[in-house]
């Protein structure tokens, strides 16, 4: 193997390993009123004890990305005038769906 191929192979290996270790989890779902089922636009969703979270759109949908750690995390939904609701999720790479009724 010549030197340029060796360097290219090394670069590709490092790039692939870095990409595999930097996979993310995408947490998404819908937040609704428990009694009416109506969406709650502007509700907040956070992963407790982190800076990760988001807010719902006009249809009550949310989505945000967090590092995939494989660990359990508490995800909490809040909206003014409602009691908060918390769910436990595993932060695995890929999509995680967590709906809330407040």
């Amino acid at each position: 193997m010549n030197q340029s191929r060796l360097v290219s192979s090394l670069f590709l290996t490092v790039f692939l390993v870095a990409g595999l270790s930097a996979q993310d989890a995408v947490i998404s779902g819908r937040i609704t009123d428990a009694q009416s089922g109506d969406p709650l636009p502007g509700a907040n969703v956070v992963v407790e004890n982190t800076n990760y979270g988001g807010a719902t759109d006009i249809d009550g949908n949310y989505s945000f990305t967090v590092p995939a750690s494989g660990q359990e995390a508490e995800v909490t939904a809040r909206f003014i005038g409602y009691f908060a609701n918390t769910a436990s999720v595993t932060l695995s790479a890929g999509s995680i769906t967590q709906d809330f009724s407040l």
Side-chain angles (χ1 to χ4, degrees), residues 2 7-8 10 26 31 41 43 46 49 54 59 63 66 76 84 86 88 96 101:
N2 67 29
V7 170
S8 295
L10 249 164
V26 177
I31 302 176
V46 297
N49 303 312
D59 296 316
S63 180
V66 300
T76 301
T86 300
S88 219
I96 301 166
S101 291

Side-chain angles (χ1 to χ4, degrees), residues 23-29 62-69 75 88-99:
Q23 292 182 358
D24 292 326
V26 177
I27 303 174
S28 61
Y62 72 91
S63 180
F64 59 91
T65 303
V66 300
S69 65
V75 178
S88 219
V89 300
T90 301
L91 301 178
S92 300
S95 297
I96 301 166
T97 301
Q98 182 60 59
D99 296 331

